[in-house]
Amino acid sequence: VYWFIANANSMPADPLPRSFSFETSRLEIRRVTPSDADELEKSLDDDFLQANGWTLAHRSLTIALLRAGDPSATIGQLVACDSNGTPCTFVSITNAKRGSAGPEGLQLGVWTTPTERGRGYSTEALAGVMKLIHNSGTKTIYLGTSESNIAMQTVIERSGAQFEYTSAIELPDGTMNTARWYKHTGSKNR
């Protein structure tokens, strides 16, 4: 689980076209829609909440906004669906401003539904989304994860991102954690 960082100094970013669909070898990546709310709710399980410092209130609000079709719940939010069309991985794109948790710039968050974890979907979705973002003209993407989350560090490193530094980070519920920050620099058609 990458941290989904939400605070006053970060906001959704959307360098991608309003309507798009992108396929990898096993996934179709598209924007989230209200019909994805049930699978998103499943993905925001206790493991996600604890790793990301979310409370049940964060989860409830996110799901309620998506179910209601609120545009704020879909900006910068993508979903990767398996060959059956079932959402299995979610990706958030955030534009972190100076003073936010982590580096200033475009940050990605990715997490997988509990039943699909360990199947490589995060790795594949991350690679696909980074290609889309780099092809849109964004050169640098930042990725952060907990110092203790070895599995996600492996996913990030497989993407070609380079370790930058560690820092203390305050999560939305006020708990402190140590983050490992990575930088992915790409060019069009990578």
Side-chain angles (χ1 to χ4, degrees):
V1 175
Y2 284 119
W3 280 315
F4 178 83
I5 299 171
N7 63 43
N9 292 314
S10 66
M11 54 186 270
D14 220 333
L16 302 176
R18 184 175 190 128
S19 178
F20 75 93
S21 178
F22 177 80
E23 292 186 15
T24 67
S25 64
R26 300 182 299 161
L27 301 172
E28 176 193 7
I29 301 168
R30 60 173 173 73
R31 295 196 181 284
V32 296
T33 66
S35 66
D36 298 318
D38 288 342
E39 292 301 321
L40 177 61
E41 186 171 26
K42 290 177 194 173
S43 77
L44 301 177
D45 64 352
D46 289 341
D47 290 340
F48 176 93
L49 298 180
Q50 183 177 6
N52 292 279
W54 275 34
T55 64
L56 290 175
H58 290 109
R59 177 178 135 170
S60 296
L61 178 60
T62 299
I63 299 304
L65 290 172
L66 181 57
R67 281 198 173 112
D70 189 304
S72 68
T74 61
I75 296 171
Q77 304 300 311
L78 310 178
V79 62
C81 299
D82 65 16
S83 60
N84 296 320
T86 304
C88 59
T89 301
F90 293 88
V91 180
S92 67
I93 307 169
T94 305
N95 188 16
K97 300 297 183 190
R98 189 174 307 280
S100 67
E104 179 178 4
L106 198 68
Q107 297 178 6
L108 292 185
V110 62
W111 63 99
T112 303
T113 57
T115 57
E116 303 303 323
R117 291 179 186 151
R119 297 184 183 189
Y121 288 135
S122 287
T123 301
E124 192 169 329
L126 180 62
V129 170
M130 286 197 303
K131 181 177 181 179
L132 285 169
I133 291 171
H134 287 312
N135 283 342
S136 77
T138 300
K139 294 190 186 240
T140 304
I141 301 169
Y142 294 97
L143 308 142
T145 191
S146 169
E147 197 168 49
S148 64
N149 192 340
I150 304 303
M152 193 50 69
Q153 290 170 35
T154 301
V155 169
I156 294 170
E157 290 165 3
R158 284 183 183 156
S159 78
Q162 299 297 311
F163 173 73
E164 289 279 301
Y165 62 92
T166 60
S167 70
I169 182 171
E170 183 176 358
L171 299 178
D173 66 1
T175 60
M176 296 300 294
N177 208 320
T178 301
R180 288 181 59 88
W181 291 100
Y182 295 80
K183 180 178 175 181
H184 190 276
T185 305
S187 60
K188 288 189 174 192
N189 299 316
R190 181 178 173 145

